[in-house]
């Protein structure tokens, strides 16, 4: 698992919004998840709770309105899952997908993990930069 969360972004974007015409406006889970990283309101509320100085004043809708905010939110979320909940490796990936409670209890969504890893492989083959993701490339 990379210790640089930015290096993880291509895998998450592939797992969460591949194939979407506009991944930044993607809606999934019957409307419960939104954006390129399929951020759910409950995950965003947890990010706000753990990092109130960074996120406390920005609503969920405001965060979703800009690709840069969505990207910053997942980076904070990944840091939270590791530092606050103690999740690493596949547990960290599952924590983003199913939430920290299930991941801490040992649940691993292997299909999601494999899809994430496929996104990383594809990214490495394309030599796509994190800025390309923001530009939708």
């Amino acid at each position: 698992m990379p210790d640089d969360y930015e290096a993880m972004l291509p895998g998450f974007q592939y797992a969460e919004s591949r194939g979407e015409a506009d991944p930044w406006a993607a809606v999934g889970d019957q409307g419960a998840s939104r954006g390129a990283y399929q951020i759910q309101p409950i995950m965003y509320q947890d990010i706000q709770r753990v990092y109130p100085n960074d996120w406390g004043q920005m609503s969920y809708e405001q965060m979703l309105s800009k690709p840069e905010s969505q990207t910053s939110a997942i980076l904070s979320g990944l840091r939270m899952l590791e530092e606050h909940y103690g999740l690493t490796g596949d547990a960290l990936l599952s924590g983003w997908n199913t939430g920290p409670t299930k991941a801490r209890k040992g649940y691993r969504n292997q299909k999601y993990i494999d899809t994430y890893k496929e996104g990383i492989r594809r990214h490495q083959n394309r030599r796509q930069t994190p800025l390309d993701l923001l530009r939708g490339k």
Side-chain angles (χ1 to χ4, degrees):
M1 190 67 50
D3 53 12
D4 176 11
Y5 300 125
E6 255 186 56
M8 299 173 72
L9 294 177
F12 283 107
Q13 191 174 42
Y14 182 79
E16 297 290 0
S17 61
R18 71 186 175 285
E20 293 287 334
D22 180 2
W24 303 106
V27 177
D29 300 321
Q30 294 79 41
S33 301
R34 296 180 45 205
Y37 305 106
Q38 293 296 282
I39 301 169
Q40 293 196 359
I42 193 165
M43 179 64 82
Y44 185 63
Q45 290 166 2
D46 207 15
I47 293 166
Q48 288 180 305
R49 180 183 60 80
V50 174
Y51 303 114
N53 292 335
D54 297 330
W55 296 101
Q57 300 303 312
M58 185 180 293
S59 73
Y60 180 69
E61 293 297 326
Q62 289 171 320
M63 179 273 299
L64 289 171
S65 70
K66 296 180 183 172
E68 297 84 2
S69 298
Q70 290 182 37
T71 301
S72 293
I74 189 176
L75 294 172
S76 291
L78 295 173
R79 187 175 86 225
M80 173 189 72
L81 291 170
E82 183 175 23
E83 294 176 0
H84 186 75
Y85 291 104
L87 301 175
T88 60
D90 289 351
L92 179 68
L93 301 177
S94 289
W96 184 259
N97 177 244
T98 64
T101 301
K102 284 178 85 170
R104 288 174 82 184
K105 291 179 181 177
Y107 176 79
R108 303 293 179 267
N109 181 341
Q110 194 60 50
K111 183 177 178 183
Y112 183 84
I113 292 166
D114 292 344
T115 302
Y116 164 87
K117 290 177 180 178
E118 175 64 19
I120 293 295
R121 278 191 295 277
R122 287 173 179 255
H123 165 74
Q124 290 168 340
N125 291 339
R126 287 180 61 192
R127 308 225 189 282
Q128 186 180 38
T129 68
L131 286 178
D132 290 336
L133 289 173
L134 289 174
R135 295 181 185 120
K137 294 182 182 179

